[in-house]
Each structure stands twice: as C-alpha cells, then as structure tokens.
Amino acid sequence: MTTYDLDSPIGLLRITAGNGRLTSIQFPGQHRARKARYRDKDPVLADCARQLEEYFAGRRRSFNLPLGAAGTAFQREVWAALGAIPYGEVRSYRDIARAISREKAVRAVGAANGRNPLPIVVPCHRVIGSDGSLTGFAGGLAAKRTLLQLEGALPR
C-alpha cells in the first residue's frame, strides 16, 4: 500500500492505493496529520491526485480510476448506484434504495453510503435527506456543502 496526502479545499485528503487500484480516500480527522508523499512512486496515486486537483479546479466532472474498495456485495451495489449520480445532481437515500430495487432498505443504504471508502470519486456527498437536508458525511457537513456548491447542486 502506498499513500499520498493531497491538500484540497476541504482539507488534507489521504489517498491510498494498492495492487494497482485506489483503495481509500480519507478526510482530515480520519488519518494522522503527518504528510505522506509517495505520489510519484505509484501511478494510481499520481492519477488520482491529478484527477482530484482537476475536480477541485472545476475542470473534471467524473473520475476514471481503477477502484479496489473492499466491501460486501450490498455495499458495492450501493456504491455503484452512487457512481451513477450525475455531477451537479443529488439523490435521497430512498432514491438510491429504489435504484437498487430495495425500496425498504433505506437505512441499510445510508449505512453503506457512510462506509464508502472512496468519497468524492464515488460521490456519496451527492446523497441528501428526503426533505432536501444535508445529512451525515464522513468529511463533515461543511465539506459536503463545499462539494455540492462546487458542483452547482447548492447555491453558493
């Protein structure tokens, strides 16, 4: 496993890759503050960092990276549905449950969403409450708001 810490508008993101795949993106508070600088030693880290920088600069709307997130079959199904949410749009947990044909699994969808190890790339920030409210986010609600504003899904 190799790691790289990327400075971003929402804080220091720790990117991890292994076996030629992106395995996690962690927000500030989810990792130790020491800087890990191995971007150039791993092409997946370098590509992920570049794509995230383009995203934060408003020049990228989707990601093209080899993903290697570990999760249950249900979690991977939810994460695939998250990946289908278009840039600049939001969906509710209920919408995601319907998208995977499990309408009664709204809470389970919320739990899988919260365990997404690849936030931003797998856009869990695009999921909001049925009433339109911003709900829990591993990076904090301020980061979620910033990401949604960047994408034009929320007014600035």
Side-chain angles (χ1 to χ4, degrees):
M1 294 290 222
T2 54
T3 61
Y4 177 72
D5 289 346
L6 177 72
D7 287 315
S8 81
I10 58 173
L12 192 67
L13 301 176
R14 171 144 307 157
I15 307 165
T16 305
N19 297 321
R21 299 191 174 282
L22 183 65
T23 56
S24 72
I25 299 173
Q26 295 177 318
F27 293 106
Q30 293 181 310
H31 60 83
R32 294 187 181 176
R34 64 175 168 63
K35 286 248 186 172
R37 294 284 181 189
Y38 299 109
R39 177 178 182 163
D40 297 331
K41 294 183 180 188
D42 187 307
V44 173
L45 289 180
D47 200 21
C48 181
R50 179 184 55 78
Q51 289 187 38
L52 283 168
E53 288 165 345
E54 292 168 356
Y55 169 82
F56 286 119
R59 297 189 314 267
R60 175 170 290 277
R61 293 175 168 238
S62 63
F63 296 89
N64 182 17
L65 297 161
L67 306 181
T72 67
F74 178 78
Q75 289 170 332
R76 289 191 308 273
E77 188 177 10
V78 170
W79 300 338
L82 299 178
I85 304 171
Y87 179 95
E89 294 185 22
V90 294
R91 299 288 185 272
S92 70
Y93 295 99
R94 185 172 315 287
D95 293 333
I96 300 301
R98 285 185 187 132
I100 63 170
S101 300
R102 299 189 186 203
E103 291 189 39
K104 295 183 179 183
V106 175
R107 287 181 189 247
V109 164
N113 193 64
R115 288 185 180 89
N116 173 18
L118 297 169
I120 305 169
V121 170
V122 176
C124 55
H125 61 280
R126 295 180 188 155
V127 181
I128 61 173
S130 293
D131 63 358
S133 64
L134 296 186
T135 56
F137 185 60
L141 292 182
K144 184 172 190 165
R145 184 174 290 105
T146 297
L147 295 171
L148 291 173
Q149 287 174 333
L150 172 77
E151 295 184 9
L154 288 180
R156 292 187 183 255

